[in-house]
Amino acid sequence: MELTDLTIHEMVRQLRGGELSAVALTEACLKRIGATDTHINAFITVCREEALAAARQADDRLAQARQIQQDAPMLTGIPVALKDLFVTAEIRTTCASKMLADFIPPYEGAVVRKLKEQGAVIVGKLNMDEFAMGSSSESSAYGAVRNPWDLGRVSGGSSGGSAACVAARQVPASLGTDTGGSIRQPASHCGVVGLKPTYGRVSRSGVVPLASSLDQVGPLTRNVRDCAIMLQAIAGYDPADSTSVNTPVPDYLAGLEEGVAGKKIGMPQEYFNSELDPEVKRAVEKVVETYRNLGAEVVEMSLPHSKYAVSCCYLLSAAEASSNMARYDGVRFGTRVDPGKGLVEMYTATRSQGFGAEVKRRIMFGTLALSSDYYDAYYVKAQKVRTLIREDFTAAFSEVDYILTPATPASAFALGDKNADPLLMYQSDVFTVAANLAGICGLSLPCGSSSAGLPIGVQLLGRPFDEAGLLRIAYAYEQTETWHKAKPEL
Amino acid sequence: MREKITREEVEKVARLARLECSAAEIDLLADQFEAIMARVEQLNELNTDTVEPTSHAVLLENVFRADEVQDSIGVEQALRNAPLQAQDCFAVPKVIE
């Protein structure tokens, strides 16, 4: 067993006990990244010197805590990596775009500050779809992320680097963002645990936005307990994010082992239709069987507006993105291309050369949906359908405690497979988008392996702010299987 | 019934979004937007006459705070990523002749 195979939980114990040093652990991660990332391309920036300096500090903090017989903060000395849309003071933040190739943020994002206060060691910034627009991490200006289980396949996206780096054991945990499945879908494709918390649970301050009403920050880890540890570190109200919700943060580890007996879990029939790959269906049905054996009641149910979720989410996220992306104009930060013909020409040249094809497509489609000819019939229509989708979940959660679905319709697809057809690509988020529209929490966790040896994930959805319950039922399932312990050969 | 998405419409949104596209890109985008529009029009199957639109999943209330001076990053830091600066300001191409 190598140091990089340890879970966060085990690392914390060994670091606090003095059996393991943060520097040794960080060096092991850096070595693993060096040995594997030429194949995977999970990292855009590795912060070697900063990480080692932070690890030395962590070792001091751990030694001091031992001396006064107290515990250092939970994440002291734990190496983590961040999707490259979290702004990090003094560390380049690219959003996987040429537009921000040299952008060094002048301030630290809220969750990054929280992680550092907890003693975490930031080892680098992770590859992703450009500005988080995509489902395969192929639209990055820094090359596609490759799936550690099969280098010819996608990692999923947009947080593809965040999922791949954890699966490849480069780091024990990462942060991603989820606008329509961008944490849960890559987690499923790479065989790791990915949590999208309730909208408002984690601050978005210092997170470069895609669609502000849908984006949420969450952790990716190798198991459920580690996921709870990470959520504990980042959850909470932040005055700097007016959409964060001021509701108390519970102790996510306290009730983790309480089990599922007496809980009612719903299986929405709309998610088990003919589009679903038979291997995925079988794996997810086995999870249902496990939950029944553990004492939960599993019932069939309906979320009647499910089939409209992708269209609804696409319209809203493109519209919001087109507005958010207006800030990249070559004036205050980022790339500037100035043909010397005037201001508008400078904007246009900057944006045309700075953005990749998918980003341009979404900005333009969003602009179209918001233009006077289409505003009511498309944008407002989608907002109304969003209400119907939200109401589906409100009604469902008055009948059941949790909802169980496949995380994705199939296991990871081949690189290049869906690039030519945007509609096909958007459809890969079909099971995850509704949670963003409804603002509820959702988690995907490994539950099987395809005949080609690719991970399969199950998705669990919970009531707003019931992350503790969601983690509890995920943990109960995880104790019955070994999928989360599987390690890709690299 | 909606008219098919035209090249002119795509050119217009490109202009509005301050993006430049080649003729081939415009052709491709017109086709793709038509396909995406046709897909999202499935929402019209639903009668939403009496449904209120949702802008955010959580109820948002206006957030007030005391109007107190707080620390900020300062001019030098704010300008450090500026592609071009002059006299402690962001410099842009000349707008008024």
Side-chain angles (χ1 to χ4, degrees):
Chain A
M1 180 130 170
E2 295 171 45
L3 287 180
T4 47
D5 291 330
L6 296 172
T7 66
I8 295 181
H9 181 60
E10 292 161 339
M11 289 173 182
V12 170
R13 196 175 45 79
Q14 294 193 19
L15 285 164
R16 283 180 174 173
E19 302 147 51
L20 172 65
S21 82
V23 168
L25 183 57
T26 300
E27 277 174 345
C29 287
L30 290 168
K31 195 175 150 207
R32 177 83 183 154
I33 294 166
T36 54
D37 212 47
T38 43
H39 308 298
I40 299 168
N41 200 26
F43 281 82
I44 290 176
T45 305
V46 177
C47 326
R48 186 181 185 84
E49 296 315 313
E50 293 89 341
L52 288 170
R56 282 191 292 271
Q57 268 183 9
D59 279 331
D60 289 346
R61 220 164 150 179
L62 286 159
Q64 282 164 13
R66 261 194 307 279
Q67 215 162 34
I68 54 168
Q69 294 187 329
Q70 278 185 357
D71 281 336
M74 194 66 139
L75 295 179
T76 310
I78 303 295
V80 297
L82 307 168
K83 188 176 184 178
D84 205 13
L85 49 54
F86 291 93
V87 301
T88 39
E90 307 307 320
I91 295 172
R92 181 170 84 131
T93 300
T94 69
C95 292
S97 178
K98 279 196 288 185
M99 185 64 94
L100 296 178
D102 304 310
F103 176 57
I104 313 276
Y107 73 105
E108 199 93 272
V111 290
V112 183
R113 213 165 50 233
K114 282 193 168 199
L115 286 177
K116 286 189 167 178
E117 279 163 14
Q118 283 284 311
V121 173
I122 311 291
V123 298
K125 306 294 293 290
L126 298 162
N127 207 350
M128 54 188 273
D129 279 298
E130 184 181 6
F131 284 106
M133 297 183 199
S135 306
S136 65
S137 301
E138 292 170 287
S139 73
S140 167
Y142 303 86
V145 180
R146 291 163 181 273
N147 193 311
W149 292 92
D150 177 347
L151 298 175
R153 292 183 186 264
V154 301
S155 59
S158 63
S159 310
S162 304
C165 72
V166 173
R169 316 225 168 169
Q170 296 173 327
V171 282
S174 67
L175 291 187
T177 53
D178 191 313
T179 305
S182 282
I183 289 172
R184 291 160 289 154
Q185 186 255 31
S188 173
H189 284 339
C190 292
V192 301
V193 177
L195 171 68
K196 183 203 93 71
T198 308
Y199 186 81
R201 178 72 294 180
V202 180
S203 173
R204 294 183 298 109
S205 170
V207 181
V208 178
L210 165 54
S212 307
S213 84
L214 302 162
D215 297 345
Q216 183 58 200
V217 174
L220 295 96
T221 57
R222 290 216 318 274
N223 64 63
V224 176
R225 185 182 291 275
D226 288 359
C227 186
I229 292 172
M230 288 295 290
L231 179 64
Q232 198 77 55
I234 60 170
Y237 174 67
D238 176 10
D241 173 5
S242 61
T243 63
S244 75
V245 176
N246 198 354
T247 184
V249 178
D251 185 338
Y252 294 113
L253 289 169
L256 199 60
E257 298 177 18
E258 281 172 15
V260 296
K263 296 293 178 198
K264 200 165 169 183
I265 300 174
M267 281 173 77
Q269 58 188 46
E270 291 83 0
Y271 286 63
F272 293 84
N273 58 19
S274 55
E275 277 176 61
L276 185 59
D277 178 275
E279 284 189 322
V280 174
K281 190 164 184 234
R282 266 198 302 280
V284 173
E285 282 168 352
K286 274 198 159 170
V287 181
V288 171
E289 215 176 284
T290 303
Y291 274 123
R292 287 200 170 116
N293 293 337
L294 289 169
E297 183 189 354
V298 185
V299 295
E300 286 201 10
M301 49 152 327
S302 173
L303 293 166
H305 298 96
S306 297
K307 72 167 175 172
Y308 302 104
V310 169
S311 295
C312 178
C313 189
Y314 186 70
L315 270 165
L316 296 178
S317 69
E320 291 185 27
S322 75
S323 159
N324 273 328
M325 302 304 284
R327 71 193 67 190
Y328 304 102
D329 57 6
V331 173
R332 292 159 301 149
F333 52 85
T335 302
R336 174 185 292 194
V337 181
D338 186 2
K341 292 177 187 158
L343 186 63
V344 173
E345 290 75 8
M346 185 278 280
Y347 292 154
T348 306
T350 295
R351 292 165 62 80
S352 302
Q353 293 186 35
F355 292 139
E358 178 64 18
V359 175
K360 285 185 198 167
R361 180 156 48 236
R362 292 212 199 183
I363 292 174
M364 286 171 62
F365 187 79
T367 306
L368 184 70
L370 289 173
S371 67
S372 54
D373 289 347
Y374 295 93
Y375 184 82
D376 285 323
Y378 292 84
Y379 178 66
V380 177
K381 180 80 186 183
Q383 286 191 315
K384 289 180 171 182
V385 173
R386 183 174 184 183
T387 304
L388 297 175
I389 290 168
R390 260 180 64 209
E391 288 172 353
D392 277 0
F393 283 99
T394 309
F397 284 127
S398 69
E399 299 289 325
V400 300
D401 298 307
Y402 304 99
I403 294 171
L404 183 154
T405 80
T408 56
S411 49
F413 47 91
L415 286 157
D417 237 16
K418 300 192 179 183
N419 270 342
D421 185 352
L423 279 172
L424 209 59
M425 186 68 92
Y426 308 152
Q427 199 61 21
S428 64
D429 292 334
V430 61
F431 296 147
T432 46
V433 289
N436 300 78
L437 293 166
I440 59 173
C441 55
L443 177 149
S444 96
L445 80 161
C447 73
S449 179
S450 74
S451 49
L454 298 166
I456 294 172
V458 62
Q459 175 178 238
L460 300 166
L461 301 171
R463 295 186 181 106
F465 299 101
D466 190 20
E467 284 81 4
L470 203 58
L471 290 162
R472 190 182 307 138
I473 70 161
Y475 182 83
Y477 167 74
E478 196 183 65
Q479 301 318 298
T480 68
E481 50 80 19
T482 55
W483 298 116
H484 65 287
K485 292 184 176 155
K487 181 178 174 180
E489 276 175 47
L490 282 163
Chain B
M1 214 24 220
R2 175 179 61 80
E3 302 279 315
K4 215 166 171 250
I5 302 280
T6 61
R7 297 187 85 249
E8 288 68 35
E9 271 181 298
V10 179
E11 282 170 352
K12 187 180 152 202
V13 289
R15 215 162 37 243
L16 288 172
R18 303 284 184 251
L19 288 167
E20 205 166 40
C21 299
S22 68
E25 281 176 308
I26 296 284
D27 284 336
L28 178 67
L29 287 168
D31 287 348
Q32 289 178 337
F33 288 175
E34 181 57 36
I36 297 170
M37 279 294 189
R39 167 67 206 267
V40 299
E41 276 160 6
Q42 69 161 167
L43 300 187
N44 295 329
E45 293 166 19
L46 297 168
N47 183 333
T48 53
D49 291 348
T50 59
V51 180
E52 287 293 318
T54 293
S55 67
H56 275 79
V58 292
L59 184 68
L60 292 182
E61 286 173 29
N62 209 352
V63 181
F64 293 99
R65 66 165 172 81
D67 186 18
E68 287 161 354
V69 177
Q70 294 178 350
D71 287 341
S72 63
I73 56 172
V75 173
E76 196 184 320
Q77 281 285 31
L79 284 173
R80 67 182 274 188
N81 281 287
L84 199 65
Q85 51 171 298
Q87 298 161 17
D88 278 354
C89 293
F90 298 106
V92 294
K94 197 169 177 181
V95 181
I96 303 164
E97 289 301 328

